[in-house]
Amino acid sequence: MLLSLPALHLQTSEHHPFFQLPHRRLGPWCSPTGSPAPLSCETGCGEGSWILVCRLLVPTQVSLLSMEEDIDTRKINNSFLRDHSYATEADIISTVEFNHTGELLATGDKGGRVVIFQREQESKNQVHRRGEYNVYSTFQSHEPEFDYLKSLEIEEKINKIRWLPQQNAAYFLLSTNDKTVKLWKVSERDKRPEGYNLKDEEGRLRDPATITTLRVPVLRPMDLMVEATPRRVFANAHTYHINSISVNSDYETYMSADDLRINLWNFEITNQSFNIVDIKPTNMEELTEVITAAEFHPHHCNTFVYSSSKGTIRLCDMRASALCDRHTKFFEEPEDPSNRSFFSEIISSISDVKFSHSGRYIMTRDYLTVKVWDLNMENRPIETYQVHDYLRSKLCSLYENDCIFDKFECVWNGSDSVIMTGSYNNFFRMFDRNTKRDVTLEASRENSKPRAILKPRKVCVGGKRRKDEISVDSLDFSKKILHTAWHPSENIIAVAATNNLYIFQDKVN
């Protein structure tokens, strides 16, 4: 629910603060033409294309399972797994994101924790371990807070995680809850200094009167330690809940979006942000739509898109004006009057928007469909994929149990040829844009044996139900795939099912 209380804003310059900063080089990861590097990531959606690599669960806050246990459905791939009975609300995964190389995979949960998984190194003796991930680092990113001015509790839930391209031995990522964005540095340390002059071996200060000789500190080897340290905290700039963060292609700025505003930040400036979109009306009773998602163009640092609850997408150019209230392009599909119903506005709300890797297309996800838009055609999408059209007759019950407000995400594969999104009953869908084939797969704890081949699932709408089909009435709406991620250059996918993280890969012939 939106609040009409007065907002506390940061002091911002009348001029664009980031345009006054000296421009640095884009870095080796961006080609001069801005065109993406060629990727080898082709797959079909046919039967038997995907196998389960492993099922991972983040270390629970209640207890950790022993590494000496026998391998069963609770402990797979030598990772810390916790039993399903230990799952709490705080353990539910709320975001999944691969880094730019795909070697690391980060998850955030409702308890404010970030768990990073690292890919196992492939060896000649263990070829079967290709694509497997193990726990690399775990840290508490956000804590619950209380806003005394508004008498509101601020949840610690991680809404989004975004990686920055790696430029040295350390990794950097952005994580956000409803109000605060944090920049984290994740680094490794395998040496420690010894031989301090003013401290003893336990770190306590020594009496200067007892120091008679000068020692030169030396570095000694130690067990590898992964450290996560907060480098920047970007706070107090959003009145409403942050739903999106996106790193710009110049890698100097990023934006954060809430229900009514989008702010532009510089990574070096934490006490000042620039408001680039503000759709808040003078009278809140005139409010007709809210911002649901926003993302920067992958190659053009001046271009971004944001979607709304009315099913529209706006493309903005920051070169046109500092305040991008006037869009450059407006994407909207006319509604078919014959399909008009009480739920039309709710199911047309866009829950996710993603640029393709090439930057030519935009993909949007609403409640029932995934649509692909060409940047050069605004009046209708070039492709529309039905995710679970069999739920159209059950919108009334979905409205009563609030499932109709679920926000599903969508992702591209590395070559933009296949798209993936989630559904209910732990189903997730893949659509091949070239062959127009699609498949429904299931992330199930019952079939969580490593290297198990996923069998396509089918939903029976009416009439006689076949043996391998599942009835619409039998679907479990408490099990839902909201968050997914695709490896940037390989056919490896991560699927978050409540408190489980499943890693799948295409079958190697």
Side-chain angles (χ1 to χ4, degrees), residues 87-88 153 170 179 324 326 346 499 505:
T88 63
E153 291 185 2
K179 298 292 184 180
C324 300
R326 294 185 179 180
I346 301 176
N499 61 329
Q505 70 180 36

Side-chain angles (χ1 to χ4, degrees), residues 446-459:
E446 288 71 23
N447 300 320
S448 55
K449 295 181 179 180
R451 325 310 296 180
I453 298 178
L454 292 186
K455 296 182 179 179
R457 302 300 304 270
K458 294 183 179 180
V459 178

Side-chain angles (χ1 to χ4, degrees), residues 132-420:
E132 293 187 2
Y133 286 77
N134 282 320
V135 175
Y136 178 68
S137 176
T138 304
F139 59 92
Q140 188 73 27
S141 176
H142 288 73
E143 299 282 356
E145 301 176 28
F146 189 80
D147 189 335
Y148 294 96
L149 293 176
K150 301 185 180 69
S151 296
L152 290 175
E153 291 185 2
I154 302 174
E155 294 183 349
E156 66 272 34
K157 172 191 170 187
I158 306 297
N159 292 337
K160 296 290 180 181
I161 291 177
R162 291 292 180 265
W163 289 90
L164 276 67
Q166 187 178 6
Q167 302 184 61
N168 49 41
Y171 302 96
F172 289 87
L173 60 87
L174 288 171
S175 64
T176 182
N177 66 349
D178 288 339
K179 298 292 184 180
T180 304
V181 183
K182 294 184 179 181
L183 175 65
W184 289 89
K185 176 184 179 181
V186 181
S187 56
E188 297 180 354
R189 185 158 61 94
D190 58 1
K191 293 182 176 63
R192 63 183 177 191
E194 293 183 358
Y196 286 106
N197 290 282
L198 300 178
K199 297 180 181 179
D200 59 18
E201 299 303 327
E202 295 181 1
R204 293 174 297 195
L205 290 175
R206 299 169 60 186
D207 185 2
T210 63
I211 301 175
T212 58
T213 59
L214 180 65
R215 295 190 297 176
V216 178
V218 294
L219 292 176
R220 301 291 187 190
M222 59 174 286
D223 293 336
L224 179 64
M225 179 182 297
V226 180
E227 298 177 323
T229 55
R231 298 303 301 271
R232 304 281 189 276
V233 177
F234 307 89
N236 303 324
H238 285 276
T239 308
Y240 309 101
H241 293 175
I242 299 174
N243 54 50
S244 302
I245 52 175
S246 180
V247 179
N248 202 346
S249 60
D250 61 10
Y251 303 120
E252 294 181 359
T253 58
Y254 77 94
M255 69 178 175
S256 56
D258 63 22
D259 293 333
L260 297 179
R261 296 185 180 95
I262 300 177
N263 292 334
L264 184 66
W265 299 82
N266 187 283
F267 281 112
E268 304 298 327
I269 304 173
T270 60
N271 63 347
Q272 189 177 10
S273 67
F274 186 79
N275 180 235
I276 54 177
V277 173
D278 188 349
I279 66 171
K280 181 180 179 181
T282 305
N283 183 2
M284 286 295 286
E285 294 181 357
E286 300 175 358
L287 182 66
T288 59
E289 62 180 338
V290 296
I291 299 171
T292 56
E295 186 175 67
F296 269 118
H297 191 281
H299 311 301
H300 303 308
C301 61
N302 55 278
T303 307
F304 68 93
V305 296
Y306 68 92
S307 58
S308 80
S309 57
K310 295 183 71 174
T312 61
I313 309 104
R314 292 170 173 85
L315 179 73
C316 300
D317 190 338
M318 291 189 292
R319 297 173 300 182
S321 62
L323 189 61
C324 300
D325 285 347
R326 294 185 179 180
H327 49 267
T328 304
K329 290 189 176 183
F330 183 78
F331 301 86
E332 183 180 23
E333 183 178 22
E335 183 183 7
D336 186 356
S338 61
N339 293 331
R340 180 72 182 175
S341 69
F342 172 79
F343 306 104
S344 295
E345 289 190 8
I346 301 176
I347 64 176
S348 65
S349 176
I350 295 176
S351 57
D352 196 16
V353 58
K354 293 280 177 60
F355 271 107
S356 62
H357 294 86
S358 65
R360 171 69 184 273
Y361 304 103
I362 302 173
M363 174 172 56
T364 60
R365 170 69 204 265
D366 56 41
Y367 190 69
L368 295 178
T369 66
V370 172
K371 298 175 182 178
V372 178
W373 303 76
D374 191 316
L375 288 184
N376 298 323
M377 189 168 71
E378 305 174 47
N379 58 342
R380 61 182 177 86
I382 58 173
E383 300 166 20
T384 300
Y385 302 98
Q386 300 293 334
V387 179
H388 38 216
D389 197 54
Y390 46 80
L391 297 180
R392 194 176 293 273
S393 60
K394 295 189 172 294
L395 293 179
C396 185
S397 59
L398 291 169
Y399 177 80
E400 292 176 352
N401 61 18
D402 286 341
C403 285
I404 200 171
F405 302 105
D406 288 333
K407 299 182 183 302
F408 293 93
E409 297 177 1
C410 53
V411 292
W412 303 86
N413 73 333
S415 60
D416 300 333
S417 61
V418 181
I419 58 181
M420 176 176 62

Side-chain angles (χ1 to χ4, degrees), residues 28 50 58 64 91 127 163 167 191 214 227 334 490:
W50 295 88
V58 298
L64 291 175
D91 296 323
V127 180
W163 289 90
Q167 302 184 61
K191 293 182 176 63
L214 180 65
E227 298 177 323
E490 299 183 32

